[in-house]
Amino acid sequence: MSYWLVKTDPDTYNWDDFEKEKKTGWDGIRNYAARNHMKAMKKGDTVFVYHSGGESEIKGLAKVTKEFYPDPTTTEGAWCSVELAAVKKLARGITLSEIKKNAKLKDMVLIKISRLSVLPVTKEEFDILISLSEKK
């Protein structure tokens, strides 16, 4: 199993919308590196859902329920989507500033390539982030 993080602008599509819908096609990605990460996602992989923009916070966990398929929002064949299902809201959101302060997360792609909207997360990073979400 692999771990990922996807970003969404909460004004466009937020965690509460995702939880209500339970499942969504993650589409509209127009960056080749992000697209390649989506193509690497496998059914059952775990995904952090991150609010970008003013919030800059990981909100919840999702699972990949359908591997990459053509993005229905475009006729260009270069782009793909994956289907994600909401699993659970984190006990506590994890802010970007909190992530940046943690020395063990200094090499996280979220920090190194901050503009990327779909990115891999290592098992160690995943475990640290889950631990942070459980702290009061």
Side-chain angles (χ1 to χ4, degrees), residues 105-122:
L105 298 173
K106 68 178 174 45
D107 293 323
M108 194 171 176
V109 177
L110 177 64
I111 296 167
K112 296 280 187 184
I113 310 173
S114 62
R115 304 260 315 141
L116 199 56
S117 60
V118 179
L119 51 105
V121 175
T122 67

Side-chain angles (χ1 to χ4, degrees), residues 2-123:
S2 296
Y3 302 94
W4 307 93
L5 183 143
V6 297
K7 292 181 180 178
T8 182
D9 182 335
D11 292 337
T12 304
Y13 190 76
N14 63 54
W15 176 261
D16 293 335
D17 295 335
F18 186 27
E19 264 191 326
K20 285 176 194 164
E21 292 179 7
K22 299 186 186 344
K23 204 178 270 192
T24 191
W26 209 261
D27 55 34
I29 304 302
R30 298 296 183 267
N31 172 284
Y32 286 103
R35 184 233 23 217
N36 291 343
H37 292 313
M38 287 174 64
K39 282 187 167 188
M41 290 178 165
K42 299 296 178 205
K43 190 173 181 177
D45 284 356
T46 301
V47 181
F48 283 113
V49 177
Y50 177 93
H51 279 187
S52 58
E55 287 188 40
S56 302
E57 181 176 277
I58 298 174
K59 295 300 230 181
L61 289 173
K63 286 273 185 203
V64 176
T65 52
K66 182 176 179 183
E67 295 176 15
F68 78 94
Y69 58 93
D71 186 331
T73 66
T74 183
T75 56
E76 294 178 42
W79 307 112
C80 68
S81 297
V82 294
E83 184 182 80
L84 300 178
V87 173
K88 70 174 187 173
K89 186 172 187 172
L90 295 179
R92 181 181 72 80
I94 310 160
T95 65
L96 180 59
S97 62
E98 187 176 359
I99 293 167
K100 285 181 174 180
K101 289 176 188 173
N102 189 310
K104 292 180 181 175
L105 298 173
K106 68 178 174 45
D107 293 323
M108 194 171 176
V109 177
L110 177 64
I111 296 167
K112 296 280 187 184
I113 310 173
S114 62
R115 304 260 315 141
L116 199 56
S117 60
V118 179
L119 51 105
V121 175
T122 67
K123 171 72 168 123

